[in-house]
């Protein structure tokens, strides 16, 4: 009887052990694979990890692109946007480095390096900033000038800003001149800031090819913040090595300033302005009258000097398609065109006045010229930028005909006006096809109006 019980007991134990073994096998078969499957599984797991890293990198790049670039880039911006943006970020970084170096010098000059800033230093700082704000208010009345030649004014503002930083750098050496030095520097920086803000919209308007002007501005601000952060970090690192004064600081500042100016120059050379000012209109008309061809936006911008008063710092190497004669014609129009003169200044006699009024009875302007070949344009009260564009086109015809034929003054005015009338609509269509903005002339006319 005991034997039967033992055998039954062993059978029950074996059954439980067998059941446990089956459960473990089933569990293992779900969690593990065969050797070949394990190997494949390992490869599969490795691929999953690799794909995970790629996805993270791709997500970061997409987020960076979304934050820094307009939607649909590069199809939603002009061709010059990328080059301008890269050079602009470089100049912002250089500017922030200079700012850190000069700020350290300023704080040392007012006493931070020697202890707490005294009350007198705080008063000096307020006076310095107040003069800077005043300069910005005064300069704002010249805003129309910035529209005509934004590249030249923008580069000038950068040079003023660099000069202001140089003055701030001198404050530790001449602490007794802190107020005059920082006042002039503050005025320069405020003026530069105003010009930069005013001209920036001229550049961004050309970049926004899909009516995405606000987005282009927003992305530009994001790019600026990133560049400023990098510049401040680099500036802190450099300032900790060079100190607040000495030859090493001057050398560092000079190097950074040179990089700043170079990046600015390159960024403005990359910009393609689509608007028509007197110089661009004169250049286009000179090419049109000699070759019956309207030059492209890129070709004209590559020829136009950044500073029109001096033919240096031109945008880029002039293309062979633009002749020297056309450049001379454009410079002549730019120099000798006077928009918005008084009626008395334009005419010399009652007879000449009546002849002009009869010739331009259907126009909102009156064009004449004097013995020095100065083109004088009288604007009526309702004259628009479109009317000023017509006047510059006629002035280009007048100059061209005068060089080709020997005619009286009245004959020249009449023939040039008729030529402008006959070709103006066709010219506008050609300009639009070439990518030019034909809304009107961008100029700074005088305040005189007739009627």
């Amino acid at each position: 009887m005991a034997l039967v019980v033992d055998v039954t007991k062993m059978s029950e134990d074996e059954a439980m052990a067998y059941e446990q073994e089956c459960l473990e096998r089933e569990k293992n078969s779900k969690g593990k694979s065969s050797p070949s499957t394990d190997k494949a599984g390992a490869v599969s797991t490795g691929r999953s990890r690799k794909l995970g890293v790629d996805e993270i990198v791709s997500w970061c790049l997409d987020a960076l692109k979304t934050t820094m670039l307009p939607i649909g880039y590069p199809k939603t911006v002009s061709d010059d946007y990328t080059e301008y943006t890269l050079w602009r970020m470089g100049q912002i970084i250089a500017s922030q480095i200079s700012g850190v170096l000069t700020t350290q010098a300023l704080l040392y000059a007012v006493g931070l390096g020697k202890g707490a800033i005294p009350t007198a230093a705080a008063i000096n700082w307020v006076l310095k900033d107040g003069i800077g704000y005043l300069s910005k208010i005064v300069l704002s009345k010249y805003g129309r000038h910035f529209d005509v030649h934004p590249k030249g004014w923008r580069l000038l503002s950068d040079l003023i800003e660099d000069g202001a930083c140089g003055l701030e750098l001198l404050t530790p050496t001449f602490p007794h001149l802190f107020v005059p030095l920082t006042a002039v520097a503050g005025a320069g920086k405020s003026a530069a800031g105003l010009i930069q803000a005013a001209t920036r919209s001229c550049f961004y308007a050309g970049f926004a090819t899909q009516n995405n002007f606000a987005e282009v501005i927003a992305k530009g601000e994001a790019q600026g913040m990133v560049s400023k952060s990098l510049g401040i970090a680099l500036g802190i690192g450099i300032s900790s090595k060079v100190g607040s004064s000495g030859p090493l600081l001057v050398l560092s500042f000079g190097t950074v300033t040179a990089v700043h100016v170079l990046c600015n120059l390159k960024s403005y050379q990359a910009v393609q302005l689509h608007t028509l000012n007197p110089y661009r209109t004169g250049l286009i008309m000179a090419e049109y009258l000699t070759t019956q061809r309207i030059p492209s936006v890129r070709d004209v911008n590559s020829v136009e000097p950044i500073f029109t008063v001096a033919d240096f710092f031109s945008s880029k190497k002039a293309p062979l398609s633009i002749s020297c004669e056309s450049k001379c014609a454009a410079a002549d129009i730019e120099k000798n065109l006077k928009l918005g003169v008084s009626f008395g200044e334009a005419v010399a006699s009652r007879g000449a006045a009546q002849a002009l009024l009869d010739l331009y009875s259907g126009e909102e302007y009156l064009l004449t010229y004097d013995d020095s070949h100065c083109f004088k344009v009288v604007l009526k009260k309702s004259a628009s930028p479109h009317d000023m564009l017509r006047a510059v086109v006629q002035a280009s015809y007048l100059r061209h005909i005068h060089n080709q034929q020997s005619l009286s003054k009245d004959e020249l005015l009449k023939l040039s006006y008729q030529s402008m009338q006959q070709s103006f609509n066709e010219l506008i269509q050609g300009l639009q096809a070439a990518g030019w903005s034909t809304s009107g002339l961008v100029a700074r006319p005088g305040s005189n109006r007739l009627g």
Side-chain angles (χ1 to χ4, degrees):
M1 186 69 179
L3 181 59
V4 174
V5 174
D6 290 342
V7 171
T8 304
K9 207 173 192 182
M10 287 177 62
S11 299
E12 291 177 355
D13 292 340
E14 288 176 358
M16 292 179 63
Y18 178 75
E19 184 178 358
Q20 185 67 28
E21 184 179 354
C22 290
L23 289 174
E24 290 180 359
R25 285 181 181 177
E26 185 178 356
K27 185 178 179 181
N28 291 335
S29 65
K30 291 181 179 180
K32 297 182 180 180
S33 304
S34 61
S36 59
T37 307
D38 288 344
K39 189 174 182 180
V43 175
S44 176
T45 305
R47 285 179 179 169
S48 298
R49 278 199 294 276
K50 187 175 181 181
L51 286 174
V53 173
D54 290 343
E55 288 174 357
I56 292 174
V57 172
S58 177
W59 182 86
C60 291
L61 291 176
D62 289 341
L64 186 64
K65 185 176 180 180
T66 303
T67 304
M68 301 285 288
L69 297 171
I71 296 174
Y73 171 87
K75 295 181 179 180
T76 56
V77 292
S78 57
D79 295 337
D80 52 334
Y81 177 79
T82 302
E83 185 178 356
Y84 168 79
T85 299
L86 292 175
W87 284 112
R88 176 175 175 268
M89 293 181 72
Q91 68 93 359
I92 291 176
I93 292 173
S95 177
Q96 292 305 305
I97 295 175
S98 296
V100 172
L101 295 176
T102 56
T103 299
Q104 178 179 251
L106 281 172
L107 295 176
Y108 182 82
V110 298
L112 185 62
K114 302 173 184 178
I117 300 178
T119 304
I123 296 174
N124 288 344
W125 201 285
V126 171
L127 289 174
K128 180 263 296 182
D129 283 344
I131 295 174
Y133 297 151
L134 181 62
S135 72
K136 184 177 288 189
I137 295 172
V138 172
L139 190 62
S140 64
K141 72 175 184 177
Y142 297 100
R144 188 60 177 169
H145 293 65
F146 308 149
D147 289 318
V148 184
H149 296 294
K151 293 182 183 180
W153 280 100
R154 185 63 181 270
L155 185 58
L156 178 63
S157 73
D158 296 320
L159 296 176
I160 292 174
E161 184 180 27
D162 290 333
C165 289
L167 291 177
E168 291 179 342
L169 204 68
L170 294 175
T171 53
T173 307
F174 305 100
H176 58 288
L177 298 176
F178 177 83
V179 172
L181 287 175
T182 54
V184 175
K189 283 191 171 183
S190 294
L194 174 66
I195 297 172
Q196 289 165 3
T199 54
R200 188 178 299 122
S201 60
C202 298
F203 300 155
Y204 285 159
F207 296 148
T209 59
Q210 302 293 325
N211 294 325
N212 54 341
F213 183 64
E215 184 189 24
V216 170
I217 292 179
K219 301 306 181 184
E221 291 299 312
Q223 295 158 6
M225 292 302 104
V226 171
S227 301
K228 287 180 180 180
S229 300
L230 292 174
I232 291 173
L234 290 173
I236 292 173
I238 294 174
S239 65
S240 64
K241 301 295 183 183
V242 301
S244 59
S245 61
L248 191 57
L249 175 62
V250 175
L251 178 62
S252 300
F253 176 76
T255 302
V256 173
T257 300
V259 173
H260 181 242
V261 173
L262 175 63
C263 290
N264 277 315
L265 180 60
K266 291 295 184 180
S267 67
Y268 306 147
Q269 287 177 344
V271 173
Q272 308 299 317
L273 297 173
H274 296 247
T275 53
L276 295 170
N277 64 3
Y279 184 93
R280 289 175 221 127
T281 305
L283 184 65
I284 291 170
M285 286 302 302
E287 283 293 304
Y288 177 74
L289 292 173
T290 55
T291 66
Q292 295 300 305
R293 180 188 68 87
I294 294 179
S296 66
V297 174
R298 183 172 293 276
D299 285 349
V300 172
N301 276 268
S302 66
V303 170
E304 183 182 17
I306 290 182
F307 292 116
T308 55
V309 293
D311 194 7
F312 60 88
F313 283 153
S314 59
S315 292
K316 287 184 179 179
K317 186 178 180 181
L320 297 176
S321 59
I322 303 293
S323 65
C324 293
E325 291 78 9
S326 296
K327 292 175 63 177
C328 291
D332 191 33
I333 293 291
E334 170 82 18
K335 178 181 178 182
N336 296 316
L337 181 68
K338 289 187 176 181
L339 289 165
V341 300
S342 65
F343 190 61
E345 183 182 352
V347 298
S349 64
R350 185 182 297 271
Q354 189 59 50
L356 283 178
L357 290 173
D358 292 340
L359 178 61
Y360 298 106
S361 59
E363 298 290 341
E364 297 299 323
Y365 75 91
L366 292 79
L367 171 67
T368 185
Y369 69 99
D370 57 20
D371 295 334
S372 61
H373 302 288
C374 178
F375 305 104
K376 297 180 178 180
V377 181
V378 179
L379 298 174
K380 298 181 181 180
K381 281 187 176 180
S382 57
S384 66
H386 185 77
D387 298 308
M388 290 190 285
L389 179 60
R390 289 174 68 89
V392 176
V393 170
Q394 183 188 347
S396 298
Y397 269 110
L398 195 155
R399 182 185 183 279
H400 179 73
I401 296 172
H402 182 267
N403 292 336
Q404 300 293 325
Q405 305 178 40
S406 179
L407 300 173
S408 67
K409 182 176 181 178
D410 291 339
E411 291 174 330
L412 275 173
L413 290 174
K414 185 175 181 179
L415 183 56
S416 64
Y417 178 63
Q418 291 174 345
S419 300
M420 184 276 296
Q421 277 189 314
Q422 294 171 0
S423 64
F424 189 77
N425 290 335
E426 179 183 349
L427 177 65
I428 291 296
Q429 293 175 0
L431 288 169
Q432 291 173 346
W436 291 101
S437 172
T438 57
S439 58
L441 185 76
V442 179
R444 51 178 190 274
S447 60
N448 299 295
R449 293 295 183 271
L450 178 65

